[in-house]
Amino acid sequence: MLYRLAGWSLLESAQTFLGGYCVARALDGGFLAGRTGLGLAWLAVAAAAILAGGPLLRGVFGQLAALVEPLRDALVRRAVERALHGAITDPARADAGAVSRLTHQTEIVRDSFAGLVLTARSFVFTAVGALAGLFTLAPRFLLVVLPPLTLGLLLFLATLAPMAAAQRTYLTADEALADRVGAIGAGLRDIAACGTSARAAERTGELIDAGADAARALARWAAVRTLALGVAGQSPVLLLLVTAPWLVRQGVTAGALVGALTYLVQSLLPALHTLMTALGAAGTRLLVVLDRFTDPAAGEDGARTAHRSPGDPVRGEEAAGLGTDGGTTPLPATPSAGAGGQPAVTERVAVAGQGTGPASLPILSGSGSGSDSRPVPAAEVRDVTLAYGPGAPPVLDRLDLLVDQGEHVAVVGPSGIGKSTLTGVLAGLLAPDGGSVLLAGRPVAGRDARELAALRVLIPQQAYVFSGTVRDNLAYLRPEVPDDELRRAVTALGAEELVGRLGGLTAPVEPARLSQGERQLLSLCRAHVASAPLLVLDEATCHLDPAAEERVELALAARPGTLIVVAHRLSSARRADRILVLDGTRPTYGTHDELLAVSPLYRDLAGHWQDG
């Protein structure tokens, strides 16, 4: 195959040789000698050589396909085998997008490799034909053309390694920035709730600066490459024109000079420009992509970032710009674990107040819903309206809700109706456009994250589990909780098997090895031992089976305090004392039997749940 490719390429060398040589002969032996017919005949030979280029290219591309396609097939097999091996040996860390991503990268390798082979082959055999023609016309031409051509090529080759390094650094910085922006975008509400916007912006700014530095370095090496192209590509023509009087005195004919210029301008320099462009762009891209295939971490995590090692998940405190300074427990800006164990949404709570567990709130005189003697409601929503943007229809429209202490309330409604919005308003993460929210008789507005954390715990659908021990995760909201109480919570919520499999309270936790349901179970155990008297679950049991969900909800409802659950099953709603149905026009609040009688939407939802 290589011999056949070389054979077709030698014909291309002959075509290049004839181009300049025929022009020289047409001038010296034809037009300048007064023999127009002979001059036209030489030009006809040159034209025939150009027309023969079509079949030559067809032959070259035929052999090129036989060289490149086996490489592409081998890389596809390697990508698939690596992804399957990772899925078998470590299912929790298996990257579902690895096959698609690496298969796409095989196309990049194939195209880049084919382009490099094509352009390198073309330059080599074009240079052979052009230099042979220059030597045939006048050997002195080589004294003028070869030194700047060689100097420019050496300068260009010297830039390839640093250019590839700069390209790799640029891609790594770009991937790191995209990874950071994705993590922050998923937890914006939590970053705002924990007051870490400035720090998150600072750390993102560092990645932006790193990307800008990498882009500038890449641009500098591109400038050096342009200089090399100028030296190798333009200097030979300039030197040939400057030395033309000397060459004529040495016996070089006018036709030979024009033929030499034809070799340079029509053949050698275009081939050189194409080669340098291909090596500078496709070549560095090929090196970077091939590095993804030779680096084992690339198949596991896709992109490596500039500020963290491959395989290290973006932790919740990182996404929100929170650290573990001096080993202190960070504010929980808690992104939930998404694919590959990387957190995406946060638990929007902070370290709760002192005490050994949740307790009933005191009766506050003069506050609440009107009576001085009745206990203060656990949560009260008064005439709350909230819309996402000016002119947008309100998601919550003049909503009133009162939840008594110790009550178990379920919130139901179709998707997008505002259930998560309501939990955000109750937790103090979303400020309503109108109305007020009180927790334990205290206004939510104006309170910082720590004050709100002493009043409520919000567990979202995407549970937050971080790298640390099992105890670190369970005691995240209340670090001083005794181990005995943690064990009782684990038993109450049915997490003994999970904690035992992990190795006990002191065993390390790797979030990527946990399923979504296991993350939710650990997060719910954490909520059980928290000091806050109000628990809000925003579909926080959706990855548990019905039996596990029932055990968890009954345990949390039995815990001293109040429980509000966004329900996604009829059984979950029926376990509540009262149910709030959000229907977008007039919410309905009552028991299961009452709602079946008065709420058509609830009847529809109940029928849908039963059918499902």
Side-chain angles (χ1 to χ4, degrees), residues 547-569:
E549 178 185 66
E550 179 179 7
R551 182 168 181 173
V552 164
E553 288 186 358
L554 291 175
L556 293 176
R559 167 189 179 272
T562 305
L563 179 63
I564 299 177
V565 177
V566 174
H568 61 284
R569 292 188 180 110

Side-chain angles (χ1 to χ4, degrees), residues 12-35:
E12 188 173 346
S13 295
Q15 178 195 27
T16 301
F17 176 86
L18 288 175
Y21 185 82
C22 289
V23 169
R25 296 281 75 83
L27 286 174
D28 289 339
F31 300 118
L32 295 180
R35 304 167 67 183

Side-chain angles (χ1 to χ4, degrees), residues 419-443:
K419 300 185 295 294
S420 293
T421 299
L422 175 59
T423 62
V425 169
L426 283 170
L429 301 179
L430 295 175
D433 301 321
S436 60
V437 178
L438 291 84
L439 298 181
R442 303 177 179 98

Side-chain angles (χ1 to χ4, degrees), residues 470 474 486-487 489-502 518 521-522 525 551-552:
V470 174
L474 298 186
L486 287 178
R487 292 188 183 96
V490 167
T491 301
L493 275 74
E496 313 102 305
E497 181 181 349
L498 170 60
V499 172
R501 180 170 57 80
L502 293 175
E518 290 169 337
L521 197 53
L522 289 179
C525 289
R551 182 168 181 173
V552 164

Side-chain angles (χ1 to χ4, degrees), residues 470-525:
V470 174
R471 190 190 197 286
D472 292 336
N473 276 275
L474 298 186
Y476 190 30
L477 304 180
R478 188 175 152 219
E480 75 285 357
V481 61
D483 286 355
D484 288 344
E485 188 174 343
L486 287 178
R487 292 188 183 96
R488 287 196 297 271
V490 167
T491 301
L493 275 74
E496 313 102 305
E497 181 181 349
L498 170 60
V499 172
R501 180 170 57 80
L502 293 175
L505 294 179
T506 59
V509 173
E510 293 186 58
R513 293 182 178 271
L514 299 177
S515 68
Q516 293 283 1
E518 290 169 337
R519 294 190 190 107
Q520 285 190 336
L521 197 53
L522 289 179
S523 183
L524 291 163
C525 289

